[in-house]
Amino acid sequence: MARDGSVVPADPQVMAVVKKKTQSSRSWILFDGTGQGSLLDVDKYAIMHRVQIHARDLRILDPLLSYPSTILGREKAIVLNLEHIKAIITAEEVLLRDPTDENVIPVVEELQRRLPRLSASNQQQGNGKEYLGGQNDAEAAEEDESPFEFRALEVALEAICSFLAARTTELEMAAYPALDELTSKISSRNLDRVRKLKSAMTRLTARVQKVRDELEQLLDDDDDMADLYLSRKAGSSSPVSGSAANWFATSPTIGSKISRASRASIATARFDENDVEELEMLLEAYFSEIDHTLNKLTTLREYIDDTEDYINIQLDNHRNQLIQLELFLSSGTVCLSFYSLAAAIFGMNIPYTWNDNHGYMFKWVVIVSGGFSSLMFLIITAYAQKKGLVGS
């Protein structure tokens, strides 16, 4: 295989049916600014040379190694490792790893849909006709104005947030009925089922927490967010930065809704090297979404803890009932022991004179033993009622 690798045009329909085991672990798909995809089968040195990153950054995207979710800004690229989404984003193209993975295919389709610039698609479809649209068109125009790397980053963030939210919903649908069934009937089967669900919830919580922490770390550091402005660092050669001011002046949808002063301030802020407001708003939106998913998992954990407390209370109650039964059996044994004492006294093979001509003595001993036994039983029962061990 050549050092630069082989490039093959990508067909989404073919990619969807290709089996994963027939693909090399080094397979990539390349998207350019028009949304056109090309399959690449290249080695790591070709990727490093193409996007100009170090081997340690590329190692983060290795599926054979376990690395937590990470978003790294480099001089000319963004290294993105979000669960199954492993990508390298530059100011002009996106490299996505393992495009035939069943979880990655929706990301591929979304990149093909959202990466092409709106102005280019309008020129191809309109053929000089006036472009009409409403609120959806205005939102699409705003999305189109975003730098290329931010559009690609937004697709990845949206995909991972939706994926984790879907896994959380599936876990909730399985966990809540299982917990309710466990509270109604405590059995080994139900306990094992809840144990497995709790383990799955712990793993999912750790994954969601890592994505949330990564977004929070970016939001807390303006320098890290500034490193993600690849088009700004590329300078005037970037097509996005060169057309920003003209777009605000000519847009028929947005220009009618904001004043000239507002457009001028936005255009000025766009060229401010220290301004990270656009990326900050993007990250905050998905931070709120992933935080909502984490809150749902936290609520599920609290429900599991409450269920465990309820089960422990039930088990304690059953344990107290067994203690009560043991207490009554023990008290009964003590009372019966007095009858055994009487039988033992008169059954001894020892000559004693007080038994001669005193046959009534046996009757008195039995009566006294029975009365003392009944008295002891009543005392034990009253004491148990006073301590709340038995009902009154």
Side-chain angles (χ1 to χ4, degrees), residues 72-101:
L72 298 177
R74 294 297 181 250
E75 182 64 27
K76 295 184 179 180
I78 299 174
V79 180
L80 196 67
N81 178 28
L82 296 175
E83 297 287 333
H84 54 274
I85 303 176
K86 303 178 185 297
I88 301 175
I89 303 173
T90 67
E92 298 177 351
E93 61 187 18
V94 179
L95 285 167
L96 186 64
R97 190 154 202 166
D98 297 334
T100 56
D101 186 276

Side-chain angles (χ1 to χ4, degrees), residues 225-286:
M225 286 192 288
D227 290 338
L228 303 183
Y229 279 80
L230 304 179
S231 299
R232 177 187 295 172
K233 290 188 289 187
S236 58
S237 59
S238 174
V240 175
S241 60
S243 61
N246 294 332
W247 183 88
F248 276 95
T250 58
S251 174
T253 56
I254 305 301
S256 60
K257 297 182 179 180
I258 58 178
S259 63
R260 294 182 179 179
S262 300
R263 285 179 287 171
S265 62
I266 295 174
T268 303
R270 187 173 294 276
F271 294 103
D272 184 3
E273 294 182 357
N274 297 324
D275 178 66
V276 292
E277 182 179 0
E278 181 180 2
L279 179 58
E280 186 175 9
M281 290 188 295
L282 174 65
L283 295 178
E284 283 179 349
Y286 292 100

